[in-house]
Amino acid sequence: MEALTLLAWMFDGLLGLGLLWLAWRALTCPDLFRAIVLFIAFGLLMALAWVRLDAPDVALAEAAIGAGLTGALLMAALAKLHPTETNDNLSVQAEISRPKGRLLQWLPVVALLLVSAGLGYVVLSLPPYVTGLSAEVAANLKTSGVDNPVTAVLLNFRGYDTLLEMVVLLLALLGVWSLGGTELHRDTAPGIVLDTLARVLVPLLILVAAYLLWVGGHAPGGAFQAGAVLGAAGVLLLLAGWRPRVGLMAWPLRLMLVAGPGAFVIIAALLYMIEGQLLEFPTAQAGILILVLETAATVSIGLTLAALFLGGRPRNDKGLT
Amino acid sequence: MGTALTDSPWGVMLILLPLAGGMICFIWPRMAQVLGLVTVFSVALSVVGLAWQMLDTGVYRHAVGGWGAPLGIDLYADGLSLLMLLVTAMVGFAVSVYSAAFFEREDATRFWPLWLFLLAALNALFLSADIFNIYVTFELMGLAAVALVALAGGRDALGGAMRYLLAALLGSLAYLLGVALLYHGFGTVDIALLAERVDASPVVWAALGLMGTGLLLKTAVFPLHFWLPPAHAHAPAPVSALLSALVVKASFYILLRLWLEVFEPLIGSEGVHTLLGLLGAMAVLWGSVQALRQTRLKLLIAYSTVAQIGYMFLAFPLAAAAGVAAWNAAAYLAFSHALAKAAMFLAAGNLLRFGGHDRIADLDRVVQRLPLTAAAFALAGVSIMGLPPSGGFIGKWLMLEAALVQGRWDLVAVIILGGLLAAAYIFKVLGYAFTQADVVHESRAVPASMEWAALLLALGAVLLGFLAVPVLSLVGIGDPFGASEIRP
Amino acid sequence: MSASFLYALVGIGLFSLSLYGLIVHAHLLRKILALNVMGSSIFLVLVALAKRTNEAPPDAVPHAMVITGIVVAVSATALALTLMLKLTAETGRAELPDDQRESH
């Protein structure tokens, strides 16, 4: 199988070089718009790398959140940063800083080359064959309630990390909202292409999200990927000019945003009282509990990501919510 | 009563209560202030409960999810964690009472959820025994802190918040790369297991370099302190108190914990702890000199924080020979600095509310017009200077003792010089507080609760001067500093 | 399983590249981009080295850590971007304000 291994090596090598080149271009391009596009391409290439590394769950999450939603957030920020640019002229020049003086310019480069060399040496000094925690994960997978090891780790073995991480997402929204409100009205009517696309894609995206949520128990997928797809649907709706009804903006919205981490906290507390350990799932109910948690998480994550894209606390006519 | 108290899940409540409180405050903004105060009060009670439990049964360890390390995440508290949790509860409670009067209606609904999540992050960090979990708590803490700084609005606060966010994220990412290397080197992210498996290999050196740099950046140790003065000075006063007293100590705590447990095989080599001591000494001198140069009160107090953090790093070279004594000194300094610095910032907030400005030269006869606030500042200053009786004095005394025993005259000189410089900038402020300014300013009333919160914290810092024995015996639970050289 | 070491080294390279970008650039959007690339680079190191299990499926714990990290990264990015916009609205420039001069 010489040719296949050689082919695999070439592919990985090209992918690695591609990642480095795209990152370099994204970081040094004078045009900010192009830089963001290059970053999104970098994210998609990264998703490809995850597939090559047998990490399909991570690939889904990276494509949806890392490349997709982060790219959308960056674009939205750029548009707000330079609102006077018209739709046609999308090039936004921002100067690349050049530190003054030859020494100052080369010192960080040399230092970082040394750091890379050191870290590279350290990485290569690691043993080539090691199991890590995969043995423990495999041994306990049956009692975890799901078949997908990544979901088991995320929602059961290290569920406490997931709880905190969902609070981090909520906290980011809190921070964004505390920085200023935004008007709910639409600025321009969407073109016919965007309008039709939204009408077709959004129900499809919701279906895909539901599928990803369900399948996450035994195949790549899960709450975060599903939530990200829901968030993408939300972003598409917002881009197409849809704005939710004002009455929905107060506590129903907040309740749904809190549903994910809130469900986690409630179930954690209940399980403590019943089982004696925080977040200890009884084996028989583990699967159901994980599905409940994931559903709540999907709703929250989708809403939070869409709200982050909107970029400000929705204001109704009476004042602030 | 004994069993009920010791069986209750105090540790778990310390994390779940503020999380739940924060979420409810978010859903129900109208009740945010009341709910916030109730939550902080119950957290304070829980810490007392945990202390009671730990005095009874020793270290607290809880395997979340029932799995236990290395598969699951463990919560772990020994004397050092308990000390940090206590100081968090004390400062947190005082600042909460202060904030209830400080923030107006609109700002209050934004403040309380953010503060409660910050409290949850702090508690989760001090209780965590898993280095990846600590990364997540760092991010939670960082985002909450940045959002709180930005509450003040305006160019200075927003600039300070942005700088803080970038520095915090860079620090966390450096830390995370270290976590990645440690996990792939030793197959676990649990601190206790890592302590068993670690050896003096290149992986551990790289992890020390990365995590150390990241944590030094987060603790604002010279020369990585650039982000602290703008962030702490321009934030709203209660937020400044929380940041200087608690948030900055969290990364120091993690650095200390990792140094004692995970990087223990590397301690023998001279280079690293000499470097840390050198950075600490420069922080003390540079921070104090910069504080002396300031014309604005909150910037002066922020630079004072930079200096005081330096003292804690002097323990690293001293601990090589003096061991537990040096670490006890650092812990005591951390505790008393937290109380004193929080009191100072709250007092500065009172002055800001009163006069509308915080220019030191224009502190118009504050002693007569705001006697409680002036007393709070003076008492806190006593601890910062290291005068007896105060917690600061005990901490500095222990550190001086350790330095003298080893003949480290350079460190003795730094400690004494630092104390003199601190006296200089404290007395500078107090001097202006006694004298009449050239221009008379309009004054606003300062609510009594704000003055009392500052004063009580300052009294606490002074009171620590009398409580050395009980506090140090509390810190000794679980033997965090390895006095007996046996791994717990 | 040298493919995993290849990707891990790419990750190290990306880390240094993005660190350079973070330090050198003044524009806040570029700094935020650099931080994102830095996060991705660390995730690459985490997942690449998890594949050293030969023929067996890779270690799932780093995968979970990276998914957590991706969510944390997007949260931080969102807050950073909003803060940047607010700061630009105040100062007119998307850069960290020069705090050399003391405002009285």
Side-chain angles (χ1 to χ4, degrees), chain A residues 160-227:
Chain A
Y160 177 49
D161 270 344
T162 309
L163 163 60
L164 289 179
E165 153 203 12
M166 291 207 284
V167 178
V168 170
L169 192 56
L170 178 64
L171 185 61
L173 186 63
L174 241 77
V176 167
W177 277 11
S178 76
L179 281 171
T182 193
E183 300 308 318
L184 264 189
H185 66 265
R186 319 170 187 191
D187 358 340
T188 54
I192 187 164
V193 175
L194 185 55
D195 198 44
T196 318
L197 205 64
R199 284 169 198 276
V200 167
L201 275 183
V202 168
L204 195 62
L205 285 173
I206 296 179
L207 273 178
V208 169
Y211 171 73
L212 279 174
L213 173 62
W214 176 253
V215 91
H218 54 269
F224 293 99
Q225 295 83 348

Side-chain angles (χ1 to χ4, degrees), chain C residues 63-74:
Chain C
H63 294 189
M65 287 184 193
V66 165
I67 295 179
T68 304
I70 292 176
V71 174
V72 164
V74 78

Side-chain angles (χ1 to χ4, degrees), chain B residues 80-93:
Chain B
L80 184 61
S81 331
L82 183 60
L83 185 74
M84 302 307 295
L85 288 168
L86 270 171
V87 76
T88 304
M90 285 166 71
V91 173
F93 187 63

Side-chain angles (χ1 to χ4, degrees), chain B residues 337-424:
Chain B
H337 175 253
L339 293 176
K341 193 45 65 71
M344 267 194 182
F345 266 119
L346 294 185
N350 290 342
L351 292 170
L352 208 68
R353 171 70 61 99
F354 183 70
H357 70 90
D358 71 333
R359 286 185 300 279
I360 300 174
D362 292 335
L363 290 176
D364 187 19
R365 287 172 296 129
V366 160
V367 171
Q368 297 168 17
R369 296 151 90 193
L370 283 181
L372 291 176
T373 300
F377 192 89
L379 286 175
V382 163
S383 183
I384 299 280
M385 284 188 270
L387 290 178
S390 68
F393 171 69
I394 301 278
K396 285 212 180 136
W397 178 255
L398 288 172
M399 198 72 87
L400 268 172
E401 236 183 353
L404 283 169
V405 156
Q406 296 174 53
R408 291 297 303 260
W409 297 106
D410 49 349
L411 295 179
V412 171
V414 165
I415 296 173
I416 295 181
L417 196 56
L420 289 173
L421 286 168

